[in-house]
Amino acid sequence: GLWEDYTSIPQHVATLQLLAIHSLFIYAGLSTYFLILVPSVENPVTSRSFDLNTYLLRGWCLLECWARFSKSTENVFVAVGSIEAMELKPLHQ
């Protein structure tokens, strides 16, 4: 299966989000493909910026990476750039 951070964790229902976060290490660890989708975006309300650097500061993001990387770093991809111009890169080049 494919693990993709944003769509693999419910974003609008707090209870489902918490359940998903508590089990993400299982699903991320068992995935065949692992996609880290981190466009450079800014929150219009708070003006905070988000990108690969902020992704790597979040505990559950590190947990899902650890879960997957402890199995393998094969078939791991990172999508970076702007929303209009995303670039997909393999973790190993």
Side-chain angles (χ1 to χ4, degrees):
L2 170 67
W3 176 266
E4 191 278 305
D5 176 63
Y6 188 81
T7 60
S8 296
I9 300 292
Q11 300 296 312
H12 302 291
V13 180
T15 307
L16 292 177
Q17 185 179 51
L18 187 59
L19 289 170
I21 289 169
H22 285 204
S23 62
L24 67 81
F25 66 94
I26 295 169
Y27 293 105
L30 293 174
S31 64
T32 303
Y33 296 94
F34 189 85
L35 173 62
I36 300 170
L37 181 62
V38 285
S40 297
V41 296
E42 184 177 292
N43 183 313
V45 176
T46 65
S47 296
R48 285 187 60 199
S49 295
F50 297 92
D51 57 15
L52 180 59
N53 293 320
T54 58
Y55 170 88
L56 293 171
L57 294 174
R58 293 193 292 276
W60 63 81
C61 297
L62 294 175
L63 175 61
E64 67 192 24
C65 286
W66 174 82
R68 180 54 170 77
F69 298 168
S70 66
K71 172 186 168 188
S72 170
T73 56
E74 296 295 317
N75 297 318
V76 175
F77 301 90
V78 180
V80 295
S82 68
I83 294 289
E84 297 81 20
M86 295 285 299
E87 184 177 352
L88 184 64
K89 298 179 178 185
L91 184 65
H92 296 293
Q93 291 191 8

